[in-house]
């Protein structure tokens, strides 16, 4: 007999070795040796006579139920082993802290459509109308994906899919309900990014009181300490840092573009003396972060012990402007008051956080920022209000430039294992959206889509051209979100077309729902107030949260029905200020950035070059599950 299909759900690849027939009494003997810790499903049937028994009838092309959990399309002969649903779910459960609203909505819409329910609202009318245009095999896959979703345990479903979205066949899902859930998801994602707690924005909380009484003698210890400003370490960081311990991005620098041996480079000089803000003992200037009026700032430190704290902004000469602004306090309740040696913890191991909004009408200038905390320490020696030392921000005008992002190449640093199964077949899909995230509005703009050609027969070391414009700014915006996903699909044409067709269909569903959500948010007719989310004006975290939410929904849907393996997963979010900094040759190249995606892909962004109005970087994607490494080169341009 011949092995028609092998599908696996585990971390290691199978080892398969055919042997010769042992006797004429047997048609054929295939010895399959598999080393695995998870389930393996093998589907066998020989069509070559003679046979001792007939083969069972072939399954339908697109079964109503999964062939195996998470598999709605049979694998083709000779395909590379695919990750099973269990493997994908394990990675998602490990890396996902906020469940997906849109993914949950997709299954409710698919459930109701597949059961023949009548659309009950404008969103369902549009979604069902689109589903109705799908060919019969795609409708079968749609129904199969619902069955696969139902096969996931309720606990795991609730961790990955928003449980507030109904899954009752008789309960319609409208845009207002989906918008409410989506804004809640974004709010929780911002909480994770800024405060490491999905519920942080629901209620302020003071930090622990770590003050001590100094009335008995002089003390030079900083008790109300600011350790970081927008992630940059300050001169008050403790335990104390030497000048060489600071990252280049934490120091004030001036750069000019030069050409060395025909290669564009930046010649950067660290500023010493005449600093715009604080400086180190050797007069090295610490970086003063640029912030637009109306944007948020995050301060991290020690002894933010009152939710009534304020931030005082004072313009540096020649400015004479000063303001006191409200702040949002989220104290660190996890770090103990003392260590294992019973020594008090009052340094930057503590992560109290305060966010505040730079007033929209604040004139451009350098401003000192001080935290003013009502004295609830219990020590009258500090007076009625405790004032921190000064840190600094530079308020800059909003960029008026427009930007474009393009891709250049796709490189297979290492193809998926095992290589003896053949080359990879890769498809890259990119979606980009302009975002407006003001104090009164949250708008996700029209989708900009790029689907690469099918890169066939990709082997380790191959470089493929992928010249494409991924994003083109078309009007005013606060920023953009971009999602990049790459899949190893299969070499067999019919199978590949089914996966591509259904993925196209789902991405069209995503486009419909994002438009419906944006319209509902603009109308304000839902339970969660956008102002509650945006009052901190944390534009960058909000934009990153939207990008992560869009990536997660795509991964969850594809994991539930198709055995295509994820090679590339990336969620990018940029404010206008971010793009301005990237393409500004007065500033140095950014540091190498790394993170782990929701599906467990290790992402590394490696700067390549800056020239006037342009920045290039290589983004590397490593999958431990696939033992693969792929790279994409991106180019960012200031075009107007």
């Amino acid at each position: 007999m011949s092995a028609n299909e092998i599908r696996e759900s585990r971390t290691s690849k199978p080892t398969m070795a055919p042997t010769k027939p042992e006797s004429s009494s047997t048609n054929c003997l295939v010895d399959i040796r598999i080393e695995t810790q998870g389930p393996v499903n093998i589907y066998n049937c020989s069509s070559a006579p003679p046979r001792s028994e007939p083969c069972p009838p072939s399954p339908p092309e697109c079964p109503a139920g999964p062939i195996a959990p998470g598999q709605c399309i049979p694998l083709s002969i000779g395909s590379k082993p695919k990750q099973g649903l269990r493997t994908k779910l394990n990675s998602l459960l490990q890396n996902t802290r906020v469940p997906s609203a849109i993914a949950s909505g997709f299954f409710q819409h698919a459930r109701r459509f597949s059961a023949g329910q009548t659309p009950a609202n404008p969103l369902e009318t549009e979604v069902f109308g689109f589903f109705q245009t799908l060919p019969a095999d795609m409708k079968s896959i749609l129904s199969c994906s619902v069955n696969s979703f139902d096969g996931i345990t309720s606990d795991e479903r609730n961790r990955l899919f928003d449980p507030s979205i109904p899954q009752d066949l008789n309960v319609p899902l409208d845009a207002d309900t989906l918008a409410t859930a989506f804004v809640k998801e974004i709010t929780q994602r911002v909480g994770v990014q800024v405060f490491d707690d999905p519920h942080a924005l629901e209620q302020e909380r003071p930090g622990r009181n770590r003050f001590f009484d100094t009335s008995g003698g002089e003390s030079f210890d900083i008790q109300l300490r600011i350790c970081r400003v927008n992630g940059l370490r300050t001169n008050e960081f403790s335990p104390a840092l030497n000048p060489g311990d600071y990252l280049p991005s934490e120091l004030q620098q001036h750069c000019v573009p030069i050409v060395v041996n025909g290669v564009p480079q930046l010649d950067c000089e660290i500023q010493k003396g005449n600093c715009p803000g604080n400086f180190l003992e050797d007069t090295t200037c610490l970086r003063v972060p640029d912030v637009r009026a109306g944007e948020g700032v995050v301060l991290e430190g020690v002894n933010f012990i009152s939710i009534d704290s304020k931030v005082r902004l004072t313009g540096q000469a020649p400015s004479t402007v000063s303001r006191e602004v409200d702040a949002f306090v989220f104290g660190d309740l996890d770090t103990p008051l003392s260590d294992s040696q019973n020594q008090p913890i009052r340094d930057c191991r503590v992560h109290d956080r305060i966010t505040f909004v730079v007033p929209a009408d604040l004139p451009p200038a350098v401003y000192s920022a001080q935290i003013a905390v009502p004295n609830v320490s219990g020590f009258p020696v500090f007076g009625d209000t405790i004032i921190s030392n000064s840190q600094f921000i530079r308020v800059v005008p909003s960029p008026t430039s427009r930007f474009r992002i393009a891709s250049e190449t796709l490189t297979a640093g290492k193809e998926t294992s095992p290589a003896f199964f053949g080359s990879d077949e890769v498809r890259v899909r990119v979606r980009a959206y302009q975002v407006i995230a003001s104090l009164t509005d949250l708008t996700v703009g029209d989708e900009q889509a790029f689907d690469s050609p099918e890169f066939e027969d990709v082997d380790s070391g191959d470089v493929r051209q992928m010249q494409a414009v991924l994003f083109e700014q078309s009007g005013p915006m606060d920023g953009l979100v971009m999602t990049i996903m790459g899949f190893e699909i299969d070499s067999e044409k019919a199978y590949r077309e089914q996966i591509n067709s259904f993925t196209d269909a789902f991405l069209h569903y995503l486009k419909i729902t994002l438009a419906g959500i944006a319209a509902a948010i603009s109308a304000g007719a839902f339970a969660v107030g956008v102002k509650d989310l945006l009052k901190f004006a944390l534009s960058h975290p909000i934009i990153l949260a939207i990008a992560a939410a869009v990536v997660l929904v795509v991964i969850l849907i594809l994991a539930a029905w198709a055995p295509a393996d994820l090679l590339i997963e990336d969620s990018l979010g940029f404010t206008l200020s971010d793009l301005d900094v990237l393409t500004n040759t007065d500033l140095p190249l950014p540091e190498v950035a790394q993170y782990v995606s929701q599906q467990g892909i290790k992402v590394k962004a490696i700067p390549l070059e800056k020239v006037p109005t342009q920045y290039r970087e290589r983004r590397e994607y490593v999958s431990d599950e696939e033992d693969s490494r792929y790279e994409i080169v991106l180019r960012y341009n200031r075009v107007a």
Side-chain angles (χ1 to χ4, degrees):
M1 57 185 162
S2 62
N4 285 344
E5 181 174 14
I6 296 179
R7 182 181 179 279
E8 54 83 23
S9 175
R10 40 123 179 95
T11 56
S12 60
K13 298 290 182 185
T15 301
M16 296 181 288
T19 62
K20 295 180 179 180
E22 292 184 350
S23 71
S24 59
S25 62
T26 58
N27 299 325
C28 179
L29 176 64
V30 178
D31 179 17
I32 303 176
R33 296 189 296 275
I34 301 177
E35 298 176 5
T36 179
Q37 298 179 349
V40 175
N41 302 307
I42 302 176
Y43 304 90
N44 295 327
C45 180
S46 171
S47 58
R51 288 195 305 263
S52 57
E53 59 183 36
C55 288
S58 299
E61 251 187 64
C62 300
I67 300 168
Q71 184 180 334
C72 296
I73 296 178
L75 286 174
S76 61
I77 297 174
S79 66
K80 281 194 173 184
K82 301 296 180 186
Q83 295 176 29
L85 179 62
R86 182 73 267 154
T87 300
K88 295 176 181 178
L89 287 181
N90 286 342
S91 295
L92 287 164
L93 289 166
Q94 180 178 351
N95 297 301
T96 301
R97 297 176 64 180
V98 179
S100 172
I102 298 178
S104 188
F106 169 80
F107 285 113
Q108 177 62 353
H109 283 146
R111 182 188 310 281
R112 284 176 47 77
F113 172 80
S114 298
Q117 296 287 324
T118 301
N121 53 64
L123 178 60
E124 286 200 338
T125 297
E126 186 171 5
V127 169
F128 288 16
F130 168 63
F131 285 164
Q132 192 61 49
T133 67
L134 298 176
D137 59 346
M138 291 296 103
K139 291 177 184 176
S140 296
I141 296 174
L142 195 70
S143 176
C144 172
S145 69
V146 174
N147 292 334
S148 181
F149 170 82
D150 290 340
I152 303 171
T153 66
S154 60
D155 176 66
E156 292 179 341
R157 276 203 310 269
N158 291 341
R159 290 168 60 188
L160 297 174
F161 303 89
D162 189 336
S164 72
I165 299 295
Q167 294 298 323
D168 186 326
L169 180 65
N170 298 308
V171 179
L173 177 59
D174 59 26
D176 291 346
T177 302
L178 193 56
T180 298
F182 184 72
V183 172
K184 179 181 176 183
E185 177 185 351
I186 299 306
T187 303
Q188 292 183 348
R189 289 183 177 278
V190 171
V192 169
Q193 289 180 50
V194 180
F195 303 108
D196 196 32
D197 187 319
H199 305 292
L201 297 184
E202 296 173 5
Q203 186 173 1
E204 292 184 87
R205 71 186 193 193
R208 291 186 171 187
N209 185 357
R210 302 171 191 272
F211 284 96
F212 60 91
D213 191 358
T214 61
S215 59
E218 190 175 33
S219 172
F220 295 99
D221 284 350
I222 300 172
Q223 299 206 48
L224 180 55
R225 183 186 299 271
I226 300 176
C227 298
R228 290 181 171 88
V229 178
N230 279 358
L232 303 175
R233 292 176 295 181
T234 70
N235 59 320
E236 295 182 359
F237 196 88
S238 177
L241 299 174
N242 296 315
D245 295 331
Y246 286 88
L247 299 173
S249 59
E250 295 173 318
L251 305 176
Q252 198 73 25
Q253 299 187 56
H254 176 68
C255 302
V256 293
I258 60 174
V259 177
V260 178
N261 297 325
V263 178
Q265 296 182 8
L266 284 183
D267 183 19
C268 297
E269 182 177 350
I270 295 173
Q271 184 173 341
K272 290 195 174 186
N274 194 27
C275 299
N278 285 318
F279 52 89
L280 304 177
E281 59 185 16
D282 66 350
T283 73
T284 296
C285 300
L286 289 174
R287 181 179 164 193
V288 176
D290 290 348
V291 184
R292 285 194 299 163
E295 285 189 342
V297 176
V298 181
L299 306 178
E300 182 178 305
V302 185
N303 273 330
F304 304 170
I305 62 172
S306 172
I307 62 172
D308 295 319
S309 299
K310 308 284 187 182
V311 174
R312 295 179 179 177
L313 299 173
T314 305
Q316 304 302 286
S319 172
T320 59
V321 177
S322 63
R323 299 283 179 84
E324 185 170 272
V325 298
D326 290 333
F328 181 89
V329 179
F330 192 76
D332 176 1
L333 303 184
D334 298 322
T335 303
L337 292 173
S338 57
D339 60 21
S340 58
Q341 306 300 316
N342 205 32
Q343 295 298 310
I345 298 178
R346 301 189 180 109
D347 55 27
C348 294
R349 288 174 289 178
V350 181
H351 301 288
D352 293 343
R353 294 178 177 91
I354 279 182
T355 68
F356 69 94
V357 176
V358 177
D361 60 348
L362 201 65
V366 173
Y367 291 84
S368 67
Q370 294 176 290
I371 300 173
V373 179
N375 185 4
V376 292
S377 69
F379 303 116
V381 66
F382 298 118
D384 294 336
T385 304
I386 306 173
I387 307 297
S388 74
N389 291 334
S390 293
Q391 296 300 330
F392 296 87
I393 61 172
R394 178 185 285 105
V395 176
V396 297
S398 296
T400 57
S401 304
R402 295 203 173 187
F403 299 93
R404 175 189 299 139
I405 303 176
S407 59
E408 296 183 354
T409 56
L410 171 75
T411 301
K414 185 179 183 183
E415 66 179 299
T416 60
S417 294
F420 63 77
F421 266 104
S423 304
D424 288 347
E425 314 294 327
V426 182
R427 185 79 177 268
V428 178
R429 297 174 181 270
V430 182
R431 296 295 182 269
Y433 311 84
Q434 294 189 172
V435 175
I436 294 175
S438 68
L439 285 174
T440 57
D441 198 9
L442 173 62
T443 301
V444 179
D446 292 339
E447 174 187 88
Q448 298 186 39
F450 165 72
D451 291 318
S452 77
E454 295 169 5
F455 295 111
E456 300 179 355
D457 300 323
V458 178
D459 295 313
S460 298
D462 283 358
V463 179
R464 301 295 177 87
Q465 294 300 309
M466 198 170 76
Q467 304 276 348
V469 174
L470 307 180
F471 171 80
E472 184 86 52
Q473 185 178 347
S474 60
M477 69 177 192
D478 289 303
L480 70 98
V481 301
M482 179 181 292
T483 66
I484 304 176
M485 286 158 287
F487 299 92
E488 202 284 320
I489 39 180
D490 198 83
S491 58
E492 200 272 316
K493 185 174 185 291
Y495 167 84
R496 185 170 70 240
E497 288 179 351
Q498 284 180 307
I499 286 186
N500 286 334
S501 296
F502 193 81
T503 304
D504 288 340
F506 170 71
L507 289 173
H508 189 78
Y509 168 85
L510 179 62
K511 181 179 179 178
I512 292 173
T513 53
L514 283 174
I517 287 170
I521 290 175
S522 296
F526 56 97
V528 178
V530 174
K531 288 185 179 181
D532 293 337
L533 168 61
L534 297 172
K535 66 184 179 182
F536 315 108
L538 298 171
S539 300
H540 187 73
I542 290 171
I543 289 169
L544 283 176
I546 294 172
V550 172
V551 165
L552 177 61
V553 62
V554 177
I555 293 169
L556 284 171
I557 299 305
L558 295 183
W561 70 274
D565 289 335
L566 191 66
L567 305 176
I568 296 168
E569 178 194 353
D570 210 349
S571 55
L572 297 83
F574 301 101
T575 65
L576 274 179
S577 295
D578 295 331
L579 295 171
D580 187 62
V581 168
L582 286 179
T583 56
N584 186 350
T585 51
D586 288 336
L587 300 173
L589 288 168
E591 304 288 338
V592 172
Q594 301 183 66
Y595 80 97
V596 177
S597 75
Q598 294 171 115
Q599 185 64 74
I601 304 293
K602 296 175 182 175
V603 183
K604 180 186 290 187
I606 304 167
L608 296 178
E609 68 173 18
K610 263 192 187 188
V611 296
T613 73
Q614 179 174 288
Y615 165 70
R616 295 174 65 247
E617 69 179 3
R618 181 173 66 250
R619 300 187 74 87
E620 178 184 275
Y621 308 97
V622 174
S623 169
D624 290 338
E625 292 290 348
E626 292 300 307
D627 193 24
S628 65
R629 186 181 77 254
Y630 275 79
E631 299 170 356
I632 293 177
V633 173
L634 297 182
R635 183 178 68 251
Y636 304 75
N637 286 100
R638 186 194 309 258
V639 295

